[in-house]
Amino acid sequence: MSAPGAVLARPPVQSGGPPSVVPQILLSGVCGGYAIGAALDWGSPEVAVFMGDFGLSLAALVAAVSCGLYARRSQSRFRPAWILFAVSSAMAGLGNAIWGWYEVVQGARVPSPSLADFCFLLFAPPAIVGLLVLAKRPVTRAGWVCLGLDAWLIGGSLLTLSWSLALAHTTHFQGRTVAQGALALAYPLLDIVLVSMVLALHFKRSSVQRSAVNTAVVALALTVLCDALFSSPLLREHYRSGQILDAGWFAGSILLAYAPWVARRSAGEAAGGGLPRAARCPQPPISRPIAGSLAMLTPYLAAAVCTLGILTNVLDGRRIDRVVLFTGCTVVLALVVRQGIMLLDNISLTQELAQKENHFRSLVQGSSDVIMIAAPTGVLRYVSPAASGVYGRDAEELVGSELASLIHPEDLGRVVHEVRRFLAAAPEAEPTMRIECRFRAGKQRAGGDGWLNVESTVNRHHGGLIFNSRDVTERVRLQAQLQHNASHDALTDLPNRALFTERVSKAVTGRRASDHDTAVLYIDLDGFKQVNDTIGHQAGDELLVQAARRLGDSVRSGDIAARLGGDEFAALITGDGTRDPAAREFRVHEIADRLRIKLSEPYRIDGRDVRVAASIGVAFADPGITPAGLLRNADLAMYRAKKAGKGRVEMYAPQMQAEVVHRAELATKLRTALHDGEFTLLHQPVVELAGGRVAAVAAQARWRSTQGILFTPAEFLRVGERGRLTEEGDRTAELGRWQLEEAVAQAAARHRAGHPVPVVVRVSARRLLDRGLPAKSVEALLARHGLPSGGLILELTDADPRMPLEELEGRLVALRRLGVRIGLDGFGGGHAAVGALRRLPIDFLRLDRGLVDGVAESVRLHKITAGMLRIAADLGLQCVADGVELPEQVHALRAMGCTHGQGPVFSGPLDEPRLRCALTLGGYPLPDRADLPGAGREAVLTGGGLPVRRGGAAGPDALVPPPLRSNSETPVPPT
């Protein structure tokens, strides 16, 4: 066989093990033992007669019991046949028992006719009907007629031959009675009918339970043969019970007893249905030309036998018997009728076959799939016309070519392996198979020569294969495109986070020991958000595309660049075997710095130059690190680069992870402290610098540790300020809600005790924008605790001018309607306070600590602070100096026009009992009170008229919040 022909070369099929031969050996031993005993006359005439009568009776009864038990357990359509065989065997056993009664018990000659003859005659009819049940049922009426004609052809020919040879002499009674003569004719006639059914069943038996049917046919054939020998006058005159002829009847009964169980032993029947596995799993038809030819020749052989019987009479010079003549004529007539039926049936089948052939030809030729039939050698025998449209090759061109020559060489080995495996598998286990490979296209197809992706459904066909093939090239291209899209960024076409993580995993887990200098670069574009806000998101997308192109062109051929989302990129730098830590850091830092410079060059977008910087974090794949840990380390290094000033490269250091762990521990402690009620509230007095009176108290939360030490929550607040959407931010908001409610409750209690001093509570502007403190909740809180109007002052922190100030202004106006006064923290500490002061309804200002520290020593700082206080005075606002520690600071601030002070020079934070004592005293002494100007000025924090800003909608210079966008700049992480 040629190499291409090996595609369809079928390997030898490993069949299952042979059935057990133990039952056959036991069966042969029993039958052989009986035959030997009969040949030796069993040692004595008495034993021979006993075994010839009751031995046969026992064997027949065993067959009856065996067939009956099987019929009781079985639920197949052959169950009636085994019941009839049981009845037939029971009749034979009863007849032999009666025969033994006469010969063994009574010691008399068996009369003729007798009751035993009646039982023997009843043996044949149930067996004949049982054979009809076992025969393959004809589908049409013509089939039933042909079955009857075939049986008559066989029986009539045997009757003609038997009548010519012997039965004609039996009709002459020669002194016998009519009953004796009829009995003499009944035995051979029933045997002829039984033989006819046996022969007819041999060629028309069902394919189901073939082993059982064959064994039953052999058993009945052996019984009929012994009956025929017994019916011959020569043997019957000298027959005695126990002779060798009884061994044939015995063997027939034992075989019939074994017949129903042979299917279970050889083929394995189903437990419930009683059918063998071959019946439940149809096998491909097996060619049996000899059996088919004999079945077709059966009618002609029967006619030849009938003619031989007639010629026997003619050649002997005898007169043709009327029975022979009648039987021969009916046989010939049956043959003619049968041939006529077969002719009409063949005409009908031919027409039906032609119609089906036209139907299937139309289906095959009109199908859009290509149907190919390949010989066992791999040569194509048939190709449907659809090949010209699918493959671009004419069907005539493909017929005769080898299938292996049309398959892509890279796919040929896999196809050969799959085909061999398919042919080696059992048909019922794998009836069909699917194969996908590349197929050579012809010049007739659009696009010219090339390879097509073809999917084929494969079926077995007379040792070869049928391929039902279709072109799936577009589907394969679409799948490849979908797979590419799933692993690449849609905007930049760089690998996305999933693919980059997979490549990092392969690099970390599959690298050589010398490649420990593999590194990950985490890249973020600084200032990208301003690009979106100023020139639009479309320009921002174009900038990302150009940055991705620069990144892809700048990395080495073996490295991988990816976009992780937003303005974040990454690069995987493979190692070169460098073992020196300093050398590897220098090499990777040089690569990262080159990428930073390249990404920081101006971008030409819409005719203008746009500049952004790049912050890059670098982490090395040290031994034992996981892919997730490597990406996390690079991310931490990138955030450190952004925090350190942006536009720089930072190497990962272990302390970065320690800081993250520390923040996580702080968040956990905050959560535990909130749940366990470990926070307490202290108040620090706000003192009038003119007279020392306590004008307000500022609420400050403290955490009481398990040792009883109070700690400030500044670290916890810093954890939550930047990440307010995280769990830590939620805990910080929870702390703020607790602080506000506790401050209002205690202030209301002091009011009821005769100390009507307002309480100042610091609130983040972000919390107001996040709807964490709506006006209705504040109103409900004041009403629930009974705090009068003016008793609550909210001091804003974190007032960034980039916030949506219109929304913040509306919330503050709603709070002021409730009598809540508003303060602004950090005045003079940056441009944020100036922007908020220009837009928000503010009642007082709190000077930044940087303007208070050293105000008495530094002339420059003194002028700056004085300028800030003049601005507040021009706006009609009063100021609170925070962190006043020295008497000189009190003197200087009061001289500049600052109205209130708060700090250690007056008092530190007090618990509730000490605070009430201070309020009872009424105030704190001031240094050099007589020399301080402005002692009679009214304090803004103690009530009275506060300057309120009136205004409506925002002006044209209002700050507009930028729209949300996925491609946004990465924020600096919390510290």
Side-chain angles (χ1 to χ4, degrees), residues 20 163 175 209 232 239 298 419 481 602 605 630 728 748 756 775 876 916:
S20 176
W163 193 275
Q209 289 189 338
S232 63
Y239 171 77
T298 300
V419 168
Q481 183 64 38
I605 300 176
L630 179 59
E728 291 80 5
R916 293 201 178 191

Side-chain angles (χ1 to χ4, degrees), residues 198-221:
V198 168
L199 293 176
L201 180 62
H202 178 70
F203 298 112
K204 294 183 178 296
R205 64 184 181 274
S206 175
S207 60
V208 182
Q209 289 189 338
R210 185 179 297 274
S211 300
V213 173
N214 288 338
T215 306
V217 168
V218 171
L220 294 177

Side-chain angles (χ1 to χ4, degrees), residues 628-858:
L630 179 59
L631 291 174
R632 179 202 61 212
N633 294 345
D635 189 18
L636 291 176
M638 184 271 293
Y639 278 118
R640 176 59 62 89
K642 290 179 70 69
K643 184 181 178 182
K646 302 182 180 180
R648 55 187 296 151
V649 177
E650 284 286 342
M651 294 288 182
Y652 170 77
Q655 57 266 27
M656 297 180 184
Q657 179 62 24
E659 292 176 0
V660 174
V661 174
H662 178 62
R663 289 197 301 269
E665 291 177 352
L666 291 178
T668 303
K669 291 180 180 180
L670 172 63
R671 183 186 309 113
T672 304
L674 285 173
H675 287 171
D676 296 345
E678 297 179 0
F679 277 91
T680 186
L681 199 63
L682 303 181
H683 295 83
Q684 188 172 19
V686 178
V687 180
E688 293 180 3
L689 297 183
R693 187 173 62 88
V694 178
V697 290
Q700 298 178 6
R702 294 293 186 270
W703 171 51
R704 188 184 301 275
S705 67
T706 54
Q707 292 81 14
I709 304 175
L710 294 177
F711 294 95
T712 63
E715 285 186 308
F716 304 126
L717 294 177
R718 284 201 298 270
V719 168
E721 280 179 356
R722 296 290 184 177
R724 66 185 187 280
L725 297 181
T726 63
E727 184 180 357
E728 291 80 5
D730 294 339
R731 297 301 177 186
T732 306
E734 185 178 350
L735 175 61
R737 287 192 295 269
W738 172 86
Q739 180 177 347
L740 177 61
E741 184 163 0
E742 188 71 14
V744 171
Q746 293 185 16
R750 287 193 295 271
H751 271 260
R752 290 190 295 270
H755 302 291
V757 180
V759 62
V760 181
V761 180
R762 295 166 60 91
V763 177
S764 172
R766 295 180 181 274
R767 186 182 175 197
L768 291 176
L769 290 177
D770 290 340
R771 301 181 184 274
L773 192 63
K776 292 184 178 180
S777 65
V778 175
E779 182 180 8
L781 179 64
L782 296 176
R784 183 168 64 252
H785 294 285
L787 184 64
S789 176
L792 175 64
I793 302 173
L794 295 181
E795 186 175 344
L796 292 182
T797 63
D798 193 24
D800 194 335
R802 292 173 295 181
M803 293 181 179
L805 296 183
E806 293 85 354
E807 183 179 357
L808 182 58
E809 180 182 8
R811 294 181 183 275
L812 294 179
V813 169
L815 290 172
R816 294 183 84 250
R817 291 196 186 102
L818 300 176
V820 178
R821 286 174 287 176
I822 308 298
L824 182 62
D825 183 29
F827 179 66
H831 69 283
V834 176
L837 186 60
R838 182 171 60 88
R839 298 294 310 276
L840 301 179
I842 303 300
D843 295 324
F844 76 95
L845 301 175
R846 180 182 293 272
L847 287 179
D848 187 81
R849 281 178 175 266
L851 299 177
V852 177
D853 294 338
V855 68
E857 297 84 5
S858 174

Side-chain angles (χ1 to χ4, degrees), residues 413-535:
R414 176 175 54 84
V415 173
V416 171
H417 173 74
E418 290 295 325
V419 168
R420 288 180 175 177
R421 183 194 58 78
F422 174 67
L423 292 176
E428 64 272 12
E430 190 174 5
T432 61
M433 177 186 65
R434 287 184 178 272
I435 293 180
E436 188 170 330
C437 62
R438 285 169 287 182
F439 200 86
R440 188 185 300 277
K443 298 180 179 180
Q444 300 178 11
R445 183 178 173 88
D449 294 338
W451 297 97
L452 302 175
N453 293 92
V454 176
E455 182 187 57
S456 301
T457 303
V458 186
N459 294 272
R460 298 172 178 84
H461 176 69
H462 297 300
L465 295 174
I466 298 179
F467 292 84
N468 192 350
S469 307
R470 62 204 62 87
D471 181 16
V472 293
T473 304
E474 291 301 323
R475 189 194 72 185
V476 171
R477 290 176 182 173
L478 179 59
Q479 289 177 346
Q481 183 64 38
L482 292 176
Q483 185 176 3
H484 178 83
N485 294 342
S487 58
H488 289 74
D489 179 58
L491 179 63
T492 63
D493 202 38
L494 288 178
N496 58 13
R497 182 182 293 271
L499 181 58
F500 184 75
T501 304
E502 179 183 350
R503 298 294 175 84
V504 171
S505 300
K506 291 182 180 179
V508 172
T509 59
R511 70 184 189 277
R512 301 187 303 272
S514 60
D515 290 341
H516 57 275
D517 56 337
T518 298
V520 168
L521 274 59
Y522 216 102
I523 307 168
D524 180 78
L525 300 181
D526 303 321
F528 175 74
K529 187 175 184 300
Q530 284 73 13
V531 176
N532 281 337
D533 296 341
T534 55
I535 60 177

Side-chain angles (χ1 to χ4, degrees), residues 49 193 239 251 283 341 351 377 392 429 435 448 544 571 610 643 668 696 763 964:
V49 172
V193 175
Y239 171 77
Q283 302 285 343
I341 294 175
Q351 294 176 351
T377 58
I435 293 180
L544 291 176
V610 178
K643 184 181 178 182
T668 303
V763 177
L964 296 178

